[in-house]
């Protein structure tokens, strides 16, 4: 049973995209009307937007916030604040602007509304760090905690990638240290683990596309969670080291956090194995400290204190300062231990994880993914990175053997070798694995008002012979005569004129003409053009179910998994109508075989229709002895987007 104390820090949080539009409302909600607006000089565009929303509520502005919150800067801002009798502070920016806002609030007790543009998290903590005569001091007070935080994802979209990475890792550090804090509690644990998992997922996505709004939203949300952890429980070795390196050696804040975190984790790992296991799980890596290092490398983040400008000769003094005053930390702090940690961080070496195949595999995966870092097309980079990650994970999860992988390569080689201009075994493979249908679903997911699409299949031949409405496309082949009378309309049921409609099908034995070299010319395939009423009519024969070509590698695969190779009987259609999206689909014969086990997963309920048995006179007066069938259907096409 766990015994704990949980203290919540009440702030009002408004989260979303475009929430900057609500900042005036939030000021008024606090009963205020005279805003001192603080904004960093580099945020001119964002500040202009906040100013526009606040309008006449702004009585003064100050853009001189500086790193580590020097008291001289605070004094100047305080003069401005007092002179205009401001009754609320609105701050937009990163840690420095938030720091200045807090410094003013603790001196005046004025309420604060903060709009963060980075992931530092200080907007939800009651802690203020200030510098006086080059010395940094920290204090905590409820008056320091901002009343309202407006998180607007849009304000973070243009944060440069290197800053995004270091600021994101800074947030990760809050969550990591919260997990092994002596005053940790279960609520904070959950927030920390959620933050770690979200940051671990969002940063690689942003490295591929820095303006990805979903990843930005995830990261900002995680930064809030991590900031809340920082506000709730005490931090350990990592924060202490970063504080020392920033305060006494002038190293930049977020970059220092990024370099030190894997090393501080590695130092603490032997004393906090369960915490490291949970962090590793949240990050999806086998070992937390080295996984953290690999993540930073894959994001091209900084990995060495040397690169941040620290002199090697300063390491010993930094180690002494870091152990000078005791503070809670999972592993005892020894001068030698910390000196070793700092030496590793200075060199930028990878913290050693336990030697394991998993760790080696994870390193290999990251190495391959990192090799795509300079791919010019971001989409290609994303697809290649994800493909490699999933293939490596597949190999690992199934313990794939040499022989099995060799078999797979041989299978794919044979799949390629059997391909000819009229035999596409890779399409068959994609179809029988349901991938073609999956891509089709994603690409052509239309509204319920349009006819569903279905796979093209390998038997389509471009540019079939154009034939007049009402013709017979069966080329005299034997079979049950079929009268097709279909309409092409838009989504409002208006007929579409001049739609070019390609149709193709198998004969009654289940073969397409391209599979029958003895046939003379295209048969059971044609191109028709709709008239003013949107109608297409033609004679054909009833299509039969058929096996897909099963004499190659795909057939062997179906055999090996105990599947049959049959397609349910169907007629193929391709529509191209002016102003409308191309529709490729099939109509299936209701009551036909294999409707519920079509080998290419192509059947959709809305495409199963009656090919109704008939006898007697035909629609165009053609003489048919015995049974014939008719197919009536209306296809609805989607308009071209935009
Ligand atoms: C076809 O319907 O023509 C087809 C579709 C996928 C694989 C094989 C054949
Ligand atoms: Fe077919």
């Amino acid at each position: 049973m766990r015994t704990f104390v949980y203290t919540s820090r009440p702030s009002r949080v408004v989260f979303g995209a475009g929430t900057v539009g609500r900042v005036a409302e939030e000021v008024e909600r606090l009963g205020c009307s005279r805003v001192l607006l603080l904004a960093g000089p580099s945020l001119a565009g964002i500040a202009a937007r906040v100013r526009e929303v606040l309008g006449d509520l702004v009585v003064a502005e100050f853009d001189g916030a500086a790193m580590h919150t020097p008291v001289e800067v605070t004094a100047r801002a305080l003069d401005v604040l007092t002179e205009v009798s401001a009754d609320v502070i609105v701050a937009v920016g990163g840690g420095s602007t938030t720091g200045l806002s807090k410094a003013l609030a603790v001196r005046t007790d004025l309420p604060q509304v903060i709009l963060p543009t980075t992931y530092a998290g200080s907007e939800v903590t009651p802690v203020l760090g200030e510098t006086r005569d080059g010395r940094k001091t920290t204090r905590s007070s409820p008056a320091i905690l901002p009343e309202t935080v407006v998180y607007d994802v849009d304000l973070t979209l243009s944060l440069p990638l290197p800053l995004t990475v270091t600021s994101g890792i800074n947030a990760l550090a809050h969550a990591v240290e919260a997990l092994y804090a002596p005053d940790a509690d279960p609520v904070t644990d959950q927030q920390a683990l959620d933050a770690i998992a979200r940051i671990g997922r969002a940063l690689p996505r942003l490295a591929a596309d820095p303006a990805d709004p979903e990843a930005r939203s995830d990261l900002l949300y995680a930064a809030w969670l991590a900031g809340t952890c920082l506000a709730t429980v005490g931090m350990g070795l990592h924060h202490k080291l970063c504080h020392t390196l920033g305060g006494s050696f002038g190293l930049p804040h977020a970059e220092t956090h990024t370099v030190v975190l894997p090393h501080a984790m590695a130092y603490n790992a032997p004393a906090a194995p369960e915490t490291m296991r949970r962090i590793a799980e949240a990050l999806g890596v086998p070992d937390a400290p080295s996984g953290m290092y690999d993540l930073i490398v894959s994001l091209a983040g900084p990995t060495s204190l040397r690169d941040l400008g620290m002199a090697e000769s300063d390491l010993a003094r930094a180690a002494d300062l870091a152990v000078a005053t005791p503070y809670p930390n999972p592993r005892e702090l020894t001068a030698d231990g910390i000196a070793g940690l700092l030496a590793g961080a200075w060199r930028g070496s990878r913290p050693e994880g336990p030697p394991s195949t998993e760790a080696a595999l994870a390193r290999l995966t990251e190495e391959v993914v990192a090799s795509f870092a300079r791919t010019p097309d971001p989409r290609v980079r994303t697809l290649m990175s994800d493909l490699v990650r999933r293939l490596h994970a597949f190999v690992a999860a199934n313990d794939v053997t040499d022989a099995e992988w060799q078999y797979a390569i041989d299978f794919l080689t044979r799949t390629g070798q059997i391909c000819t201009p009229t035999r596409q075994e890779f399409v068959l493979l994609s179809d029988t694995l349901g991938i073609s249908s999956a891509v089709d679903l994603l690409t052509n997911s239309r509204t319920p008002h349009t006819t569903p699409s279905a796979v093209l299949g390998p038997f389509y031949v471009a540019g079939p012979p154009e034939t007049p409405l009402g013709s017979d496309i069966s080329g005299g082949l034997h079979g049950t005569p079929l009268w097709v009378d279909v309409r092409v309309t838009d989504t409002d049921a208006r007929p579409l004129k001049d739609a070019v409609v390609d149709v193709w099908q198998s004969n009654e034995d289940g073969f397409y003409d391209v599979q029958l070299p003895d046939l003379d010319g295209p048969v059971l395939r044609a191109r028709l053009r709709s008239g003013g009423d949107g109608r297409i009519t033609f004679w054909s024969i009833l299509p039969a179910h058929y096996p897909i070509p099963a004499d190659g590698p795909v057939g062997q695969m179906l055999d090996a998994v105990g599947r049959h190779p049959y397609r349910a009987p169907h007629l193929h259609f391709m529509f191209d109508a002016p102003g409308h999206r191309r529709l490729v689909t099939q109509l299936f014969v209701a009551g036909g075989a294999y409707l519920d086990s079509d080998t290419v997963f192509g059947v959709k309920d809305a495409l199963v229709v009656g090919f109704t048995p008939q006898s007697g006179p035909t629609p165009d007066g053609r003489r048919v002895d015995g049974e014939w069938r008719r197919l009536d259907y209306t296809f609805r096409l989607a308009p071209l987007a935009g």
Side-chain angles (χ1 to χ4, degrees), residues 420-444:
T420 68
T422 54
R423 167 97 186 235
Q424 229 307 353
E425 194 77 356
F426 276 111
V427 174
L428 279 189
L429 184 58
S430 151
D431 293 345
T432 48
L433 296 180
I435 303 170
S436 307
S437 283
V439 173
D440 174 49
L441 268 176
L442 292 170
T443 315
N444 300 312

Side-chain angles (χ1 to χ4, degrees), residues 15-20 151-154:
F15 190 99
T19 46
V20 66
Y151 286 106
D152 185 343
V153 177
D154 291 349

Side-chain angles (χ1 to χ4, degrees), residues 473-482 504-513 515-516 519 523-524 540-547 566-571 589 593-594 627 629:
I473 70 164
S474 71
L477 289 182
H478 190 264
T480 306
L482 170 68
W504 67 107
Q505 67 166 93
S506 64
N507 67 11
E508 68 168 359
D509 299 323
F511 291 109
Y512 284 79
D513 57 357
Q515 296 171 291
L516 301 168
L519 265 190
V523 178
L524 290 173
S540 185
I541 56 174
L542 187 64
H545 62 268
Y546 63 85
Y566 286 95
R567 291 227 59 202
H570 58 274
L571 180 51
V589 182
Y594 305 110
E627 184 191 284
R629 302 279 188 117

